[in-house]
Amino acid sequence: MKKRWVLKSFVAAAVLTTSGLALAQSNTFKIGLILPMTGPFASTGKQIEAAARLYMAQNGDTVAGQKVELIVKDDTSAPDVTKRIAQELVVNDKVNVLAGFGLTPLALATAPIATQSKTPMVVMAAATSSITQASPYVIRTSFTLPQAAVTLGDWAPKNGLKKVVTLVADYGPGIDAEKYFKERFVLNGGQVPESLRVPMRNPDFAPFLQKVRDIKPDALYVFLPSGVGAALMKQFAERGLDKAGIKLIGTGDITDDDILNGMGDVALGVVTTQHYSASHNSAVNKKFVAAFEKANAGMRPNFMAVGGYDGMRVIYEAAKKTKGGSGDALLEAMKGQLFESPRGPMFIDAQTRDVVHNIYIRKVEKVNGELYNQEFDVIKDVKDPGKSK
Ligand code: PHB
Protein backbone atom coordinates (compact mmCIF):
# COMPACT_ATOMS: atom_id res chain seq x y z
CA MET A 1 0.00 0.00 0.00
CA LYS A 2 2.65 2.36 1.15
CA LYS A 3 4.79 1.43 -1.82
CA ARG A 4 2.00 2.25 -4.25
CA TRP A 5 1.40 5.61 -2.59
CA VAL A 6 5.08 6.43 -2.87
CA LEU A 7 5.06 5.45 -6.51
CA LYS A 8 1.95 7.51 -7.20
CA SER A 9 3.32 10.62 -5.60
CA PHE A 10 6.58 10.10 -7.42
CA VAL A 11 4.74 9.99 -10.75
CA ALA A 12 2.66 13.03 -9.80
CA ALA A 13 5.77 14.94 -8.84
CA ALA A 14 7.43 13.94 -12.10
CA VAL A 15 4.42 15.13 -14.12
CA LEU A 16 4.37 18.38 -12.20
CA THR A 17 8.07 18.92 -12.78
CA THR A 18 7.75 18.16 -16.46
CA SER A 19 4.79 20.47 -16.99
CA GLY A 20 6.57 23.10 -14.90
CA LEU A 21 9.55 22.73 -17.17
CA ALA A 22 7.39 22.94 -20.28
CA LEU A 23 5.87 26.11 -18.89
CA ALA A 24 9.29 27.57 -18.14
CA GLN A 25 10.41 26.64 -21.62
CA SER A 26 7.46 28.20 -23.38
CA ASN A 27 8.08 31.39 -21.46
CA THR A 28 11.68 31.60 -22.63
CA PHE A 29 13.01 32.25 -26.08
CA LYS A 30 16.51 30.79 -26.16
CA ILE A 31 19.35 31.85 -28.43
CA GLY A 32 22.43 29.62 -28.40
CA LEU A 33 25.34 31.84 -29.43
CA ILE A 34 28.45 29.78 -30.26
CA LEU A 35 31.64 31.79 -30.80
CA PRO A 36 35.43 31.61 -30.62
CA MET A 37 35.92 33.48 -27.32
CA THR A 38 39.52 32.31 -26.80
CA GLY A 39 42.42 31.60 -29.16
CA PRO A 40 43.53 33.40 -32.33
CA PHE A 41 39.99 34.31 -33.44
CA ALA A 42 38.73 35.54 -30.06
CA SER A 43 38.29 39.08 -31.39
CA THR A 44 35.44 37.79 -33.59
CA GLY A 45 33.70 36.27 -30.56
CA LYS A 46 34.19 39.39 -28.43
CA GLN A 47 32.85 41.69 -31.15
CA ILE A 48 29.77 39.56 -31.80
CA GLU A 49 28.93 38.98 -28.14
CA ALA A 50 29.27 42.71 -27.41
CA ALA A 51 26.99 43.57 -30.33
CA ALA A 52 24.38 40.95 -29.38
CA ARG A 53 24.28 42.26 -25.81
CA LEU A 54 24.00 45.83 -27.11
CA TYR A 55 21.03 44.84 -29.27
CA MET A 56 19.31 43.32 -26.24
CA ALA A 57 20.07 46.33 -24.06
CA GLN A 58 18.52 48.60 -26.71
CA ASN A 59 15.53 46.41 -27.55
CA GLY A 60 14.67 44.75 -24.27
CA ASP A 61 14.95 41.15 -23.18
CA THR A 62 11.38 40.12 -23.86
CA VAL A 63 9.76 39.36 -27.22
CA ALA A 64 6.12 38.39 -27.66
CA GLY A 65 5.80 38.04 -23.89
CA GLN A 66 8.75 35.66 -23.67
CA LYS A 67 11.99 36.26 -21.87
CA VAL A 68 14.96 36.15 -24.25
CA GLU A 69 17.82 34.09 -22.91
CA LEU A 70 21.20 34.43 -24.61
CA ILE A 71 23.41 31.39 -23.98
CA VAL A 72 26.99 32.20 -25.00
CA LYS A 73 29.43 29.29 -25.50
CA ASP A 74 33.12 29.31 -26.43
CA ASP A 75 34.03 26.81 -29.15
CA THR A 76 37.75 27.81 -29.15
CA SER A 77 37.40 27.80 -32.98
CA ALA A 78 37.52 23.97 -33.13
CA PRO A 79 34.82 22.53 -35.48
CA ASP A 80 34.20 19.35 -33.42
CA VAL A 81 33.65 21.52 -30.35
CA THR A 82 31.19 23.80 -32.18
CA LYS A 83 29.25 20.77 -33.34
CA ARG A 84 29.12 19.18 -29.88
CA ILE A 85 28.00 22.44 -28.26
CA ALA A 86 25.30 22.89 -30.91
CA GLN A 87 24.02 19.40 -30.22
CA GLU A 88 23.89 20.05 -26.47
CA LEU A 89 22.14 23.37 -26.98
CA VAL A 90 19.49 21.75 -29.16
CA VAL A 91 18.95 18.60 -27.08
CA ASN A 92 19.45 19.83 -23.51
CA ASP A 93 18.67 23.54 -23.62
CA LYS A 94 16.06 23.26 -26.38
CA VAL A 95 17.20 26.52 -27.95
CA ASN A 96 14.90 28.18 -30.48
CA VAL A 97 17.84 29.26 -32.60
CA LEU A 98 21.55 28.58 -33.04
CA ALA A 99 23.72 31.60 -33.86
CA GLY A 100 27.30 32.85 -34.15
CA PHE A 101 29.82 30.76 -36.20
CA GLY A 102 33.07 32.68 -36.31
CA LEU A 103 34.74 30.67 -39.08
CA THR A 104 33.59 28.68 -42.10
CA PRO A 105 34.65 25.22 -40.80
CA LEU A 106 32.65 25.86 -37.60
CA ALA A 107 29.50 26.70 -39.56
CA LEU A 108 29.92 23.74 -41.91
CA ALA A 109 30.40 21.31 -38.99
CA THR A 110 27.15 22.49 -37.39
CA ALA A 111 24.90 22.64 -40.47
CA PRO A 112 23.83 18.94 -40.21
CA ILE A 113 22.66 19.54 -36.61
CA ALA A 114 20.47 22.43 -37.80
CA THR A 115 19.00 20.25 -40.55
CA GLN A 116 18.33 17.23 -38.34
CA SER A 117 16.76 19.24 -35.53
CA LYS A 118 15.03 21.78 -37.84
CA THR A 119 16.64 24.60 -35.87
CA PRO A 120 17.27 27.93 -37.63
CA MET A 121 21.00 28.68 -37.71
CA VAL A 122 21.96 32.34 -38.03
CA VAL A 123 25.49 32.72 -39.40
CA MET A 124 26.83 36.04 -38.09
CA ALA A 125 30.49 35.81 -39.20
CA ALA A 126 31.50 32.97 -41.53
CA ALA A 127 31.55 34.08 -45.16
CA THR A 128 32.30 31.29 -47.64
CA SER A 129 29.63 31.41 -50.33
CA SER A 130 28.59 27.75 -50.02
CA ILE A 131 27.60 27.86 -46.31
CA THR A 132 23.96 28.67 -47.04
CA GLN A 133 23.79 25.55 -49.20
CA ALA A 134 25.01 23.31 -46.37
CA SER A 135 21.57 23.39 -44.70
CA PRO A 136 18.14 24.82 -45.58
CA TYR A 137 18.07 26.14 -41.99
CA VAL A 138 21.00 28.54 -42.48
CA ILE A 139 20.29 32.29 -42.61
CA ARG A 140 23.31 34.55 -43.11
CA THR A 141 23.66 38.08 -41.72
CA SER A 142 27.43 38.45 -42.24
CA PHE A 143 28.57 38.71 -45.88
CA THR A 144 30.18 36.59 -48.60
CA LEU A 145 33.73 36.89 -49.91
CA PRO A 146 32.67 36.85 -53.58
CA GLN A 147 30.62 40.05 -52.99
CA ALA A 148 33.75 41.98 -52.01
CA ALA A 149 36.10 40.17 -54.42
CA VAL A 150 34.24 40.89 -57.67
CA THR A 151 33.83 44.54 -56.69
CA LEU A 152 37.59 44.90 -56.33
CA GLY A 153 38.12 42.92 -59.54
CA ASP A 154 36.18 45.65 -61.33
CA TRP A 155 37.80 48.58 -59.53
CA ALA A 156 41.49 47.60 -59.74
CA PRO A 157 42.07 47.60 -63.53
CA LYS A 158 40.17 50.88 -63.91
CA ASN A 159 42.58 52.40 -61.43
CA GLY A 160 45.90 51.54 -63.00
CA LEU A 161 46.46 48.13 -61.40
CA LYS A 162 47.03 45.72 -64.28
CA LYS A 163 49.32 43.11 -62.75
CA VAL A 164 48.27 41.75 -59.34
CA VAL A 165 49.53 38.86 -57.19
CA THR A 166 46.92 37.29 -54.91
CA LEU A 167 47.61 36.04 -51.36
CA VAL A 168 44.85 34.33 -49.38
CA ALA A 169 44.35 32.14 -46.32
CA ASP A 170 44.15 28.56 -47.57
CA TYR A 171 40.56 27.57 -46.71
CA GLY A 172 36.97 28.28 -47.84
CA PRO A 173 36.72 32.08 -47.73
CA GLY A 174 40.29 32.50 -49.04
CA ILE A 175 39.63 30.22 -52.00
CA ASP A 176 36.43 32.18 -52.75
CA ALA A 177 38.28 35.49 -52.41
CA GLU A 178 40.99 34.30 -54.81
CA LYS A 179 38.70 32.71 -57.38
CA TYR A 180 36.16 35.52 -57.68
CA PHE A 181 38.74 38.32 -57.72
CA LYS A 182 40.89 36.57 -60.30
CA GLU A 183 38.02 35.70 -62.63
CA ARG A 184 36.65 39.23 -62.68
CA PHE A 185 40.05 40.93 -62.81
CA VAL A 186 41.25 38.80 -65.75
CA LEU A 187 37.93 39.34 -67.52
CA ASN A 188 38.62 43.06 -67.20
CA GLY A 189 42.05 42.66 -68.83
CA GLY A 190 44.13 42.23 -65.68
CA GLN A 191 46.96 39.77 -65.24
CA VAL A 192 47.60 37.49 -62.22
CA PRO A 193 51.15 36.10 -62.48
CA GLU A 194 51.01 34.25 -59.14
CA SER A 195 48.40 33.10 -56.61
CA LEU A 196 49.74 32.40 -53.12
CA ARG A 197 47.96 30.56 -50.32
CA VAL A 198 49.08 30.76 -46.69
CA PRO A 199 48.00 28.55 -43.76
CA MET A 200 44.83 29.71 -42.02
CA ARG A 201 46.43 29.57 -38.55
CA ASN A 202 49.66 31.36 -37.56
CA PRO A 203 50.92 32.03 -41.08
CA ASP A 204 54.53 33.07 -41.62
CA PHE A 205 54.28 35.65 -44.38
CA ALA A 206 58.02 36.13 -44.94
CA PRO A 207 58.66 33.65 -47.79
CA PHE A 208 55.46 34.69 -49.56
CA LEU A 209 56.23 38.40 -49.36
CA GLN A 210 59.74 37.77 -50.66
CA LYS A 211 58.22 36.11 -53.70
CA VAL A 212 55.89 39.07 -54.24
CA ARG A 213 58.83 41.45 -54.03
CA ASP A 214 60.67 39.49 -56.71
CA ILE A 215 57.67 39.50 -59.05
CA LYS A 216 57.06 43.22 -58.40
CA PRO A 217 53.41 43.44 -59.43
CA ASP A 218 51.39 46.70 -59.41
CA ALA A 219 49.59 45.42 -56.34
CA LEU A 220 49.22 42.57 -53.86
CA TYR A 221 45.59 41.51 -53.29
CA VAL A 222 44.99 39.90 -49.88
CA PHE A 223 42.30 38.03 -47.96
CA LEU A 224 43.03 36.98 -44.37
CA PRO A 225 40.44 36.22 -41.68
CA SER A 226 39.62 39.01 -39.25
CA GLY A 227 42.39 39.55 -36.70
CA VAL A 228 45.35 38.52 -38.87
CA GLY A 229 45.69 41.61 -41.11
CA ALA A 230 47.94 43.60 -38.77
CA ALA A 231 50.79 41.06 -38.94
CA LEU A 232 50.69 41.05 -42.73
CA MET A 233 50.64 44.84 -42.87
CA LYS A 234 53.69 45.06 -40.60
CA GLN A 235 55.74 42.58 -42.61
CA PHE A 236 54.66 44.16 -45.90
CA ALA A 237 56.33 47.38 -44.74
CA GLU A 238 59.32 45.71 -43.03
CA ARG A 239 60.20 43.88 -46.24
CA GLY A 240 60.01 47.15 -48.14
CA LEU A 241 57.21 46.17 -50.50
CA ASP A 242 55.56 49.57 -50.14
CA LYS A 243 58.87 51.32 -50.91
CA ALA A 244 59.23 49.08 -53.98
CA GLY A 245 56.01 50.68 -55.26
CA ILE A 246 53.74 47.67 -54.70
CA LYS A 247 50.24 48.69 -53.61
CA LEU A 248 48.27 46.66 -51.08
CA ILE A 249 44.59 45.97 -51.82
CA GLY A 250 42.15 43.39 -50.50
CA THR A 251 38.82 42.54 -48.98
CA GLY A 252 38.00 44.65 -45.91
CA ASP A 253 39.00 41.80 -43.60
CA ILE A 254 42.62 43.01 -43.68
CA THR A 255 41.81 46.53 -42.46
CA ASP A 256 39.42 45.30 -39.79
CA ASP A 257 38.14 48.17 -37.62
CA ASP A 258 38.96 46.17 -34.48
CA ILE A 259 42.72 46.46 -35.10
CA LEU A 260 43.06 49.08 -37.84
CA ASN A 261 43.97 51.94 -35.55
CA GLY A 262 46.89 49.98 -34.12
CA MET A 263 48.42 49.30 -37.54
CA GLY A 264 50.01 52.71 -37.85
CA ASP A 265 50.73 54.76 -40.94
CA VAL A 266 51.69 51.72 -43.02
CA ALA A 267 47.96 51.12 -43.49
CA LEU A 268 47.37 54.60 -44.94
CA GLY A 269 46.04 54.49 -48.49
CA VAL A 270 45.19 50.77 -48.51
CA VAL A 271 42.11 50.26 -50.71
CA THR A 272 39.64 47.54 -49.75
CA THR A 273 36.07 46.53 -50.60
CA GLN A 274 33.54 45.52 -47.97
CA HIS A 275 30.03 45.99 -46.63
CA TYR A 276 30.89 47.76 -43.37
CA SER A 277 33.06 50.55 -42.03
CA ALA A 278 32.76 52.04 -38.55
CA SER A 279 32.92 55.41 -40.32
CA HIS A 280 29.92 54.68 -42.59
CA ASN A 281 28.10 57.98 -42.83
CA SER A 282 24.51 57.38 -41.67
CA ALA A 283 22.48 58.30 -38.61
CA VAL A 284 21.83 54.61 -37.85
CA ASN A 285 25.55 53.82 -37.90
CA LYS A 286 26.58 56.84 -35.84
CA LYS A 287 24.12 55.81 -33.16
CA PHE A 288 25.33 52.19 -33.30
CA VAL A 289 29.04 53.09 -33.05
CA ALA A 290 28.48 55.56 -30.20
CA ALA A 291 26.40 53.07 -28.18
CA PHE A 292 28.86 50.22 -28.86
CA GLU A 293 31.87 52.29 -27.82
CA LYS A 294 30.07 53.53 -24.71
CA ALA A 295 29.18 49.98 -23.62
CA ASN A 296 32.63 48.56 -24.50
CA ALA A 297 35.40 50.95 -23.52
CA GLY A 298 38.36 50.92 -25.88
CA MET A 299 36.61 48.84 -28.56
CA ARG A 300 35.50 49.95 -32.03
CA PRO A 301 32.82 47.82 -33.74
CA ASN A 302 33.98 45.95 -36.84
CA PHE A 303 32.13 43.99 -39.53
CA MET A 304 31.80 41.02 -37.18
CA ALA A 305 29.93 43.17 -34.64
CA VAL A 306 27.54 44.31 -37.34
CA GLY A 307 26.88 40.70 -38.44
CA GLY A 308 25.97 39.91 -34.81
CA TYR A 309 23.85 43.01 -34.29
CA ASP A 310 21.88 42.47 -37.50
CA GLY A 311 21.57 38.76 -36.73
CA MET A 312 19.89 39.64 -33.43
CA ARG A 313 17.54 41.96 -35.29
CA VAL A 314 16.57 39.16 -37.69
CA ILE A 315 16.00 36.78 -34.74
CA TYR A 316 13.98 39.31 -32.68
CA GLU A 317 11.70 40.26 -35.57
CA ALA A 318 11.09 36.61 -36.47
CA ALA A 319 10.38 35.82 -32.80
CA LYS A 320 7.87 38.69 -32.67
CA LYS A 321 6.14 37.61 -35.86
CA THR A 322 5.81 33.98 -34.73
CA LYS A 323 5.04 34.86 -31.10
CA GLY A 324 8.18 33.16 -29.89
CA GLY A 325 8.12 30.35 -32.43
CA SER A 326 10.70 27.81 -33.44
CA GLY A 327 11.60 25.46 -36.31
CA ASP A 328 10.17 26.08 -39.77
CA ALA A 329 7.85 28.91 -38.71
CA LEU A 330 10.73 30.85 -37.16
CA LEU A 331 12.92 30.18 -40.21
CA GLU A 332 10.24 31.43 -42.62
CA ALA A 333 9.87 34.64 -40.60
CA MET A 334 13.60 35.30 -40.96
CA LYS A 335 13.46 35.13 -44.76
CA GLY A 336 12.82 38.27 -46.75
CA GLN A 337 13.57 40.73 -43.92
CA LEU A 338 14.54 44.14 -45.27
CA PHE A 339 15.85 46.87 -42.98
CA GLU A 340 18.42 49.57 -42.45
CA SER A 341 21.51 48.16 -40.79
CA PRO A 342 24.47 50.20 -39.54
CA ARG A 343 26.12 48.95 -42.80
CA GLY A 344 23.34 50.53 -44.92
CA PRO A 345 20.28 48.85 -46.45
CA MET A 346 20.22 45.08 -45.97
CA PHE A 347 17.99 42.28 -47.20
CA ILE A 348 17.77 38.54 -46.47
CA ASP A 349 17.01 37.01 -49.87
CA ALA A 350 14.17 34.52 -49.26
CA GLN A 351 15.37 32.20 -52.04
CA THR A 352 19.04 31.94 -51.08
CA ARG A 353 18.71 32.85 -47.34
CA ASP A 354 21.81 34.96 -47.93
CA VAL A 355 22.46 38.64 -47.31
CA VAL A 356 22.13 41.26 -50.06
CA HIS A 357 23.80 44.59 -49.26
CA ASN A 358 25.96 47.42 -50.60
CA ILE A 359 29.66 46.88 -51.16
CA TYR A 360 31.72 50.01 -50.54
CA ILE A 361 35.12 50.89 -51.92
CA ARG A 362 37.19 52.40 -49.13
CA LYS A 363 40.60 53.85 -48.50
CA VAL A 364 42.39 53.98 -45.13
CA GLU A 365 42.71 57.60 -44.03
CA LYS A 366 43.40 59.48 -40.85
CA VAL A 367 40.33 61.16 -39.36
CA ASN A 368 40.90 63.23 -36.21
CA GLY A 369 44.13 61.33 -35.59
CA GLU A 370 42.57 57.86 -35.98
CA LEU A 371 42.70 55.42 -38.89
CA TYR A 372 39.41 54.62 -40.62
CA ASN A 373 38.23 52.90 -43.80
CA GLN A 374 36.77 55.91 -45.60
CA GLU A 375 34.10 54.89 -48.11
CA PHE A 376 34.43 56.72 -51.45
CA ASP A 377 32.28 54.67 -53.83
CA VAL A 378 29.46 52.12 -53.59
CA ILE A 379 27.99 49.26 -55.61
CA LYS A 380 24.41 48.88 -54.44
CA ASP A 381 22.46 45.75 -53.48
CA VAL A 382 25.13 43.18 -54.26
CA LYS A 383 23.87 39.58 -54.19
CA ASP A 384 26.33 36.76 -53.58
CA PRO A 385 27.91 36.11 -57.00
CA GLY A 386 28.51 32.54 -55.82
CA LYS A 387 24.77 31.84 -56.03
CA SER A 388 24.35 32.56 -59.73
CA LYS A 389 26.78 29.89 -60.89
C1 PHB B 1 35.37 32.55 -42.40
O1 PHB B 1 36.01 31.65 -41.85
O2 PHB B 1 34.35 32.31 -43.08
C2 PHB B 1 35.81 33.96 -42.22
C3 PHB B 1 36.45 34.35 -41.05
C4 PHB B 1 36.90 35.65 -40.92
C5 PHB B 1 36.69 36.57 -41.93
C6 PHB B 1 36.04 36.18 -43.09
C7 PHB B 1 35.59 34.88 -43.25
O3 PHB B 1 37.14 37.81 -41.80
Side-chain angles (χ1 to χ4, degrees), residues 133-148:
Q133 280 139 356
S135 166
Y137 288 86
V138 167
I139 294 275
R140 175 154 40 202
T141 61
S142 51
F143 62 106
T144 83
L145 264 311
Q147 290 172 325

Side-chain angles (χ1 to χ4, degrees), residues 40-59:
F41 302 103
S43 66
T44 294
K46 291 200 178 117
Q47 286 273 344
I48 292 179
E49 183 185 7
R53 296 207 185 279
L54 175 63
Y55 190 90
M56 291 179 72
Q58 290 175 329
N59 294 276

Side-chain angles (χ1 to χ4, degrees), residues 102-104 126-128 143 145 171 173 223 225-226 253 303-304:
L103 296 165
T104 289
T128 301
F143 62 106
L145 264 311
Y171 78 116
F223 162 80
S226 177
D253 309 72
F303 58 97
M304 294 301 186

Side-chain angles (χ1 to χ4, degrees), residues 294-372:
K294 188 163 176 230
N296 304 279
M299 242 171 119
R300 183 197 288 181
N302 69 0
F303 58 97
M304 294 301 186
V306 164
Y309 191 75
D310 293 333
M312 289 298 281
R313 193 269 182 201
V314 168
I315 295 168
Y316 261 57
E317 290 303 314
K320 270 188 218 161
K321 201 167 165 194
T322 58
K323 307 212 169 8
S326 58
D328 289 298
L330 188 65
L331 178 77
E332 285 310 310
M334 290 179 178
K335 295 179 185 173
Q337 287 193 30
L338 171 69
F339 57 98
E340 190 183 349
S341 147
R343 72 185 82 183
M346 147 157 184
F347 172 54
I348 301 294
D349 185 327
Q351 252 73 53
T352 61
R353 292 166 279 102
D354 221 334
V355 58
V356 178
H357 52 194
N358 295 343
I359 297 294
Y360 305 90
I361 307 169
R362 316 96 51 86
K363 184 185 260 178
V364 177
E365 287 171 3
K366 218 171 235 175
V367 183
N368 300 328
E370 292 198 17
L371 296 179
Y372 279 97

